Amino acid sequence: MDWMAWTLPTAIFFAVIACLLITFTVLALKFPETPRVGILRIETTRGDRLFITLLGSAFLNLAWLGFVGANQPYALILCLIYAAAVFRWV
């Protein structure tokens, strides 16, 4: 498989996504929730908010690479702030 560069950051990225999915599945089974309506005025569950967070974080990282270039750890800080806002208000 020479077409994919499996570096340590790539492996960590996919491991974190897998752990998030497992954690949210366990939470959904152990603590069922009712959907809530937030600032977007749509019903969302924890899984919906996780998806919105991951999608938004991907776009934030792409924008960071396009406009800033290096210093990607600062984009991670921005993504964590975004994730906190999504889980609080969406």
Side-chain angles (χ1 to χ4, degrees), residues 13-34:
F13 172 79
F14 283 107
V16 167
I17 298 296
C19 288
L20 279 171
L21 291 173
I22 291 168
T23 301
F24 275 72
T25 301
V26 170
L27 283 173
L29 294 173
K30 190 165 177 134
F31 305 108
E33 68 168 337
T34 57

Side-chain angles (χ1 to χ4, degrees), residues 60-61 64 71-84:
L60 283 172
N61 276 287
W64 186 275
N71 297 325
Q72 201 65 20
Y74 294 115
L76 175 62
I77 294 168
L78 182 65
C79 289
L80 291 174
I81 294 168
Y82 171 70

Side-chain angles (χ1 to χ4, degrees), residues 24 28 31-53 82-90:
F24 275 72
F31 305 108
E33 68 168 337
T34 57
R36 69 175 192 198
V37 177
I39 197 169
L40 294 178
R41 311 315 286 156
I42 59 172
E43 288 186 348
T44 60
T45 62
R46 281 187 293 257
D48 297 331
R49 290 187 294 274
L50 176 64
F51 178 75
I52 292 168
T53 299
Y82 171 70
V86 167
F87 275 92
R88 174 69 177 103
W89 292 301
V90 171

